[in-house]
């Protein structure tokens, strides 16, 4: 049956197939696998049926361990069952994985592979979690792309049922799970034809049933446990052939050539990489580039990782190979090598490749981007048997120099990059855009979203590609045809225009006229635009959003502007398709919301302004990026902010070498560093109207970032306050002045403070106004928070009340030396509170929690 083309991400591809083969789905959400569970739950609620004509029974448990237990019990009862997980969630399933495998129950664990928390948490992708399961007895099948997830997930289900072994069906977290591609999808009739119904009947008949009872989960003694454990060997020996059998069924239906190990590259290759996961597509694209230049290189893509078939691996490697490099997306400290490398070395022992040198490299930990230039460095590497790529290791010197960046995307591919603010709708709009283009043109489409860990309020970068050829570029865009900046504060913080190709298009969302552009656009941006023929456009999306009633949700405005400028689809057709997508997305919220989005789409296409680039811009001076550096304060915080945090905040963290973290190898970092960020991302900030203020302090209480704080000032302090400081006599304490201080540069513009403000007679004491026009409030804030805490104010209004609690200083800074050991406290502190005294022990200088000195001599405590 002909397959339909549809635009979707890897999570939806896996869920689409698993739904077909499942009676039960036991779920518990964890990033980045949650989408699979959400889609399954949604489809079941909608009444979608599986290949058995039934809706899937979806059960959400209290944890991943509970979900795994439910999978175990459901399988034992004869229901085909699946679950979806990643990272720590998968680790919680390990005890049940042993049981499910040991009892020969064919469940499928769909995993969007993610880093495990070690020195620090990472929600991003690598293979640490799946490698931790390689000894459980579960088979492990890996996919490298969204299309492969769709194509090969049936193999995990069907082979598991016939082979009586559970499968971990995995693919890269985020890079594949969240990448959107235009792919061919399975029809459920095709999926039904492939599965062995007799094997399903045998599985159901073997279930726990009072009509033919048996005992499971017994305890065995030393006399028989070993023998019984070895009795499963024939099943694992037979499984690779069963997996290949179902790969062949897939191949027969859709014309592919899936094998346990697939080779791609020159027939006479001399250097081959062995890898699995999304990096394989980048390697393939790089191979096309290198082979065209006469290089003899190739890649072996690992599909079935467990059971590992040595014979199939050897058969996939060309006889001409003289060198092999194995890439692992994990780190096992203290091991002779990472897991895939050790498997490959063991598999080649005693074969025709016995004497072939095998190199081993780590890449991509925590979703570190892996580029074609890095792959070229692997092929050129002749010196380092153990290496890393993607970083600069100046400590153990394992890293390979990638050299100059390469452009290996197929000719005609259009690359677009969008810089947005988390929760401003940019990512959602781009998801709609990629689906509109993918589903309504003959072009291939790819979208990937690079998230800041802050998520809401953080930086998001959307990477969109379109073209007439299949897109294998599983890496970030650094040379774009179109760049859009959706937050005007970014132009001084990040190098974004510099990523445009000559003649590219730059769209800036800002409220500035030409005079404002001259004032705010830094010299290096002006120079690049002028000297590289960049077409420069602006649009005031915020103004349009406010006029229409959408507020800060400017996504549809800027989406419409993109389609107008990119000219991928005729403008009229694009507007119709965007409106249809808006109807589908917002229809449940009512006609008024839908109409607002229609108006935003129309306005976005009409209100773009092209900027005529002045000749004078060609010689504009480089002003550098606006980077907040720390001055004063604790030395450890200042050092961390200036050496690491400043570069991370400028999206330059990838340039930091390993040595920059030599003092932070255990994952600890100084507290108090966020005070130096001063991101200035809000378009509108709260502006205090003292005449309407009742001094309730609710605004300070609800602010999620401690941006707005009440300050009690003495007459002397008030006299020294920055010019223009607004103040009131404090209610109940006329000897003090009351000031509501607002940090313009820390505010995210959420509006919670203004929403909660009761005001007077219907007039709010806080109104949201343009940040740029009210930047002077930052000086008032900086002055106010430096003033000492007023104990009598706190006593008057009670620390346990909303009002009184907000006069307390939120941070503590400690100084002074320990009377016993003489050490001076710094970032690594352990604090203990005894009565009314705070004791601080230095983690490096003291041998016990409270040091060896008498706790009767506390450290000095200074309120910050």
């Amino acid at each position: 049956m002909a397959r339909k083309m549809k635009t979707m991400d890897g999570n939806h591809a896996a869920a689409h197939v698993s739904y077909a083969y499942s009676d039960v789905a036991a779920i518990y959400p964890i990033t980045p696998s949650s989408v699979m569970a959400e889609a399954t739950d949604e489809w079941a609620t909608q009444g979608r049926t599986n290949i058995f004509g039934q809706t899937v029974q979806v059960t959400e448990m209290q944890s991943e361990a509970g979900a795994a237990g439910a999978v175990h019990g459901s399988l034992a009862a004869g229901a085909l069952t699946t679950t979806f997980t990643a990272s720590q969630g998968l680790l919680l399933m390990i005890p049940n994985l042993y049981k499910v495998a040991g009892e020969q129950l064919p469940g499928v664990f769909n995993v969007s592979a993610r880093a495990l928390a070690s020195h620090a948490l990472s929600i991003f992708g690598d293979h640490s979690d799946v490698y931790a399961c390689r000894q459980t007895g579960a088979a492990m099948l890996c996919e490298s792309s969204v299309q492969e997830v769709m194509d090969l997930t049936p193999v995990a289900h069907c082979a598991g049922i016939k082979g009586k072994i559970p499968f971990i069906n995995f693919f890269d977290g985020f890079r594949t799970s969240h990448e959107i591609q235009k792919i061919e999808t399975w029809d459920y009739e095709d999926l039904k034809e492939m599965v062995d119904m007799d094997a399903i009947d045998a599985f159901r008949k073997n279930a726990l049933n009072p009509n033919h009872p048996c005992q499971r989960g017994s305890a065995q003694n030393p006399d028989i446990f070993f023998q019984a454990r070895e009795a499963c060997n024939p099943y694992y020996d037979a499984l690779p052939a069963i997996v290949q059998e179902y790969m062949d069924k897939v191949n027969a239906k859709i014309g592919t050539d899936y094998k346990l190990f697939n080779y791609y590259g020159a027939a006479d290759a001399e250097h081959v990489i062995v890898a699995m996961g999304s990096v394989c597509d980048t390697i393939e694209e790089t191979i096309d580039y290198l082979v065209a230049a006469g290089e003899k290189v190739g890649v072996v893509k690992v599909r079935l990782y467990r059971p590992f078939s040595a014979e199939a691996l050897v058969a996939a490697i060309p006889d001409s190979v003289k060198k092999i490099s194995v890439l692992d997306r994990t780190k096992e400290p203290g091991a002779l090598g990472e897991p895939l490398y050790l498997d490959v070395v063991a598999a080649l022992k005693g074969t025709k490749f016995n004497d072939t040198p095998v190199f081993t490299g780590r890449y991509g930990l925590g979703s570190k981007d892996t580029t074609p230039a890095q792959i070229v460095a692997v092929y050129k590497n002749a010196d380092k048997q153990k290496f890393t790529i993607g970083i600069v290791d100046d400590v153990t010197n394992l890293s390979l120099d990638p050299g100059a960046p390469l452009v290996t995307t197929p000719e005609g591919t259009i690359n677009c990059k969008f810089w947005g603010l988390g929760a401003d709708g940019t990512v959602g709009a781009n998801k709609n855009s990629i689906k509109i283009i993918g589903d309504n043109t003959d072009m291939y489409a790819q979208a990937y979203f690079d998230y800041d860990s802050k998520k809401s309020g953080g930086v998001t970068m959307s990477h969109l590609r379109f073209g007439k050829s299949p897109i294998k570029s599983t890496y970030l865009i650094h040379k774009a045809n179109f760049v859009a900046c959706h937050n005007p504060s970014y132009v001084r913080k990040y190098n974004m225009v510099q990523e445009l190709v000559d003649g590219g298009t730059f769209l800036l969302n800002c409220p500035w006229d030409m005079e404002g552009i001259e004032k705010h656009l830094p010299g290096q941006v002006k120079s690049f635009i002028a000297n590289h023929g960049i077409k420069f456009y602006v649009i005031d999306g915020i103004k349009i959003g406010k006029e229409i009633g959408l507020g800060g949700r400017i996504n549809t405005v800027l989406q419409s502007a993109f389609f107008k400028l990119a000219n991928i689809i005729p403008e009229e057709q694009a507007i119709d398709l965007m409106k249809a997508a808006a109807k589908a997305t917002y229809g449940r919220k009512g006609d008024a919301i839908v109409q607002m989005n229609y108006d935003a789409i129309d306005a976005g296409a009409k209100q773009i302004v092209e900027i005529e680039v002045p000749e004078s811009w060609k010689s504009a001076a480089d002003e550098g990026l606006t980077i907040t550096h720390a001055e004063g304060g604790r030395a450890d915080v200042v050092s961390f902010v200036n050496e690491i945090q400043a570069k991370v905040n400028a999206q330059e963290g990838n340039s930091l070498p390993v040595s920059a973290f030599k003092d932070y190898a255990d994952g600890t970092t100084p507290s108090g560093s966020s005070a130096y960020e001063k991101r200035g991302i809000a378009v509108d900030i709260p502006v205090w109207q003292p005449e309407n203020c009742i001094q309730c302090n609710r605004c300070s209480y609800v602010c999620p970032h401690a941006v707005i704080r009440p300050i009690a000032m003495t007459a002397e302090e008030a006299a020294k306050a920055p010019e223009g400081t607004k103040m009131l006599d404090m209610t109940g304490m006329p000897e003090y002045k009351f000031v509501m201080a607002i940090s313009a540069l820390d505010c995210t513009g959420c509006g919670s403070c203004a929403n909660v403000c009761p005001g007077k007679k219907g007039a709010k004491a806080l109104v949201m106004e343009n940040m740029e026009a009210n930047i002077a409030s930052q000086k008032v804030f900086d002055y106010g928070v430096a003033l000492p805490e007023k104990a009598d104010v706190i006593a008057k209004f009670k620390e346990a009340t909303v009002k009184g609690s907000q006069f307390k200083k939120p941070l503590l800074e400690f100084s002074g030396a320990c009377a016993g050991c003489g050490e001076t406290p710094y970032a690594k502190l352990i604090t203990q509170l005894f009565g009314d005294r705070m004791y601080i022990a230095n983690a490096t200088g003291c041998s016990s929690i409270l040091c060896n000195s008498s706790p009767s001599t506390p450290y000095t405590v200074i309120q910050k």
Side-chain angles (χ1 to χ4, degrees), residues 564-621:
K564 168 85 171 180
L565 296 175
N567 201 27
I568 297 170
I569 297 176
E571 184 181 343
E572 269 190 40
Q573 183 188 2
I575 288 174
D576 289 341
L577 292 169
M578 281 188 285
K579 287 183 176 180
K583 177 74 172 176
T585 303
Y586 303 112
R588 69 186 72 178
K589 295 185 178 181
D591 292 341
I593 299 296
V594 172
Q595 187 58 49
M596 285 181 191
N597 280 276
Y598 286 176
D599 294 342
I601 290 166
D602 290 333
K606 294 174 183 175
Q607 296 193 32
I608 305 166
V609 177
E610 183 172 5
I611 300 299
E612 189 173 335
V613 178
E615 187 71 19
S616 60
W617 282 15
K618 289 186 176 181
S619 57

Side-chain angles (χ1 to χ4, degrees), residues 362-650:
R362 287 189 294 275
Y363 77 98
L365 270 63
S367 282
K368 176 68 75 176
D369 200 30
T370 305
T371 65
Q374 295 167 23
I375 300 303
V376 171
V378 174
Y379 283 123
K380 289 182 176 179
N381 175 41
D383 304 319
K384 297 181 179 181
Q385 194 272 330
K386 292 184 178 181
F387 61 87
T388 58
I389 55 174
I391 61 172
V392 176
D393 179 2
D394 54 351
V395 176
T396 48
N397 299 308
L398 295 177
S399 57
L400 302 181
D401 182 2
L406 295 175
V407 178
T408 57
T409 48
E411 190 174 345
T413 302
I414 300 169
N415 300 282
C416 306
K417 190 170 181 178
F418 302 78
W419 293 71
L421 180 71
D424 71 352
T426 295
V427 169
N430 285 322
K431 286 182 178 180
N432 276 340
S433 296
I434 202 79
K435 289 175 182 177
I436 287 171
I437 294 168
D439 294 341
N440 295 281
T441 72
D442 60 354
M443 301 178 79
Y444 289 90
Q446 177 205 59
Y448 182 71
F449 307 97
D450 191 12
Y451 298 93
D452 187 304
S453 291
K454 290 184 178 70
K455 296 188 177 178
S456 180
V459 180
T460 62
M461 287 165 281
S462 303
H463 302 256
L464 275 61
R465 291 182 173 100
F466 316 100
K468 298 293 184 181
S469 304
I471 299 170
K472 299 180 180 180
S473 309
T474 53
Y475 51 90
L476 305 178
I477 292 172
H478 293 293
K479 278 297 175 184
N481 304 92
F482 179 95
V483 168
C485 173
H486 290 187
N487 190 295
S489 71
Y490 288 176
V491 293
R492 287 193 171 273
K493 295 179 180 178
Y494 311 122
N495 288 318
M496 59 180 77
V497 176
Q498 291 83 344
E499 293 186 326
L500 279 165
V501 299
D502 288 358
T505 300
F506 179 50
L507 173 64
L508 175 62
N509 173 45
C510 69
W512 308 321
D513 55 15
M514 193 61 197
E515 183 180 345
I517 289 170
E518 286 282 6
K519 176 183 175 183
H520 293 286
L521 216 61
Q524 66 271 22
V525 174
K526 294 175 182 175
S527 173
F528 190 91
I529 289 173
N531 290 311
H532 292 267
I534 305 302
K535 295 182 282 289
F536 182 24
Y537 299 86
V538 298
I539 186 170
D540 192 348
I542 295 294
K543 177 174 174 285
I544 295 169
K546 286 180 178 179
E547 290 173 349
I548 291 170
L550 291 174
R553 300 289 293 183
I554 58 174
N555 51 328
T556 45
V557 176
L558 296 172
Q559 180 187 22
S560 180
F562 161 67
F563 275 108
K564 168 85 171 180
L565 296 175
N567 201 27
I568 297 170
I569 297 176
E571 184 181 343
E572 269 190 40
Q573 183 188 2
I575 288 174
D576 289 341
L577 292 169
M578 281 188 285
K579 287 183 176 180
K583 177 74 172 176
T585 303
Y586 303 112
R588 69 186 72 178
K589 295 185 178 181
D591 292 341
I593 299 296
V594 172
Q595 187 58 49
M596 285 181 191
N597 280 276
Y598 286 176
D599 294 342
I601 290 166
D602 290 333
K606 294 174 183 175
Q607 296 193 32
I608 305 166
V609 177
E610 183 172 5
I611 300 299
E612 189 173 335
V613 178
E615 187 71 19
S616 60
W617 282 15
K618 289 186 176 181
S619 57
D622 188 340
E623 300 173 30
L625 297 176
T626 300
I627 299 176
T628 303
H629 290 286
E631 295 178 2
R634 299 201 321 267
D636 59 320
V637 180
V638 170
S639 174
F640 176 78
V641 169
N642 291 338
E643 294 176 14
I644 295 179
Q645 181 173 291
K647 287 195 174 183
V648 171
N649 287 344

Side-chain angles (χ1 to χ4, degrees), residues 124-389:
F124 298 102
D126 64 34
H127 297 162
S128 305
D129 54 357
V130 290
Y131 278 138
C133 300
R134 65 188 187 273
Q135 75 283 6
T136 60
M140 300 174 72
L141 187 69
C142 180
E143 291 93 35
S144 303
S145 66
V146 181
Q147 184 66 69
E148 288 184 11
V149 174
M150 178 63 71
D151 295 347
L152 292 177
T153 298
V155 174
H157 284 271
C158 295
I161 292 166
K162 186 169 183 177
K164 298 184 177 181
I165 290 174
F167 268 74
I168 293 174
N169 181 57
F170 71 97
F171 43 89
D172 286 356
F174 283 105
R175 186 65 256 187
T176 303
S177 68
H178 283 61
E179 179 180 301
I180 297 175
Q181 281 261 19
K182 183 176 180 178
I183 63 169
E184 296 179 355
T185 61
W186 284 112
D187 185 274
Y188 276 15
E189 285 303 313
D190 282 326
L191 296 180
K192 187 174 182 179
E193 289 173 8
M194 282 193 288
V195 71
D196 187 334
M197 288 296 182
D198 291 336
I200 292 177
D201 289 341
F203 160 69
R204 299 198 194 283
K205 288 176 182 176
N206 195 45
L208 292 175
N209 192 311
N211 294 320
H212 45 82
C214 68
Q215 179 175 290
R216 276 189 190 162
S218 62
Q220 293 180 343
N221 292 330
D223 55 343
I224 65 169
F225 181 87
F226 194 170
Q227 302 95 300
R229 192 74 186 98
E230 293 295 309
C232 68
N233 290 351
Y235 294 92
Y236 287 90
D237 293 341
L239 191 62
I242 294 172
V243 171
Q244 188 59 60
E245 173 191 339
Y246 281 103
M247 285 182 171
D248 290 341
K249 288 188 177 184
V250 168
N251 295 336
K253 280 189 173 290
I254 63 177
T256 49
D257 185 33
Y258 289 120
K259 296 177 181 177
L260 306 185
F261 298 86
N262 273 101
Y263 176 73
Y264 185 92
D268 57 349
E270 296 181 353
H271 189 172
V272 163
I273 292 174
V274 179
M276 62 182 174
S278 60
V279 73
C280 292
D281 274 12
T282 298
I283 297 172
E284 284 191 12
E285 185 179 285
T286 308
I287 287 170
D288 292 339
Y289 174 86
L290 292 175
V291 169
E295 300 286 340
K296 298 180 179 181
V297 294
V299 62
V300 173
K301 302 170 69 170
V302 180
R303 309 268 190 217
L304 183 67
Y305 178 61
R306 285 289 184 271
F308 197 93
S309 173
E311 296 80 5
L313 172 65
V314 171
I317 302 173
D319 292 341
S320 54
V321 166
K322 298 177 181 178
K323 181 180 175 183
I324 296 170
S325 294
V326 182
L327 295 183
D328 268 291
R329 197 164 197 169
T330 192
K331 178 177 177 64
E332 294 201 356
L336 292 175
E338 272 60 54
L340 183 58
Y341 164 72
L342 295 178
D343 287 330
V344 169
V345 169
L348 299 181
K349 194 72 174 174
T351 71
K352 57 186 175 182
F353 299 110
N354 186 76
D355 298 323
T356 303
V358 182
F359 286 36
T360 174
R362 287 189 294 275
Y363 77 98
L365 270 63
S367 282
K368 176 68 75 176
D369 200 30
T370 305
T371 65
Q374 295 167 23
I375 300 303
V376 171
V378 174
Y379 283 123
K380 289 182 176 179
N381 175 41
D383 304 319
K384 297 181 179 181
Q385 194 272 330
K386 292 184 178 181
F387 61 87
T388 58
I389 55 174

Side-chain angles (χ1 to χ4, degrees), residues 821-851:
C821 64
E823 289 287 338
T824 300
Y826 65 117
K828 298 178 180 178
L829 299 175
I830 303 169
T831 63
Q832 296 287 332
L833 186 62
F834 291 88
D836 61 349
R837 285 181 171 179
M838 181 78 79
Y839 295 89
I840 300 92
N842 188 302
T844 59
C846 306
S847 58
S848 67
I849 293 178
L850 296 179
C851 186

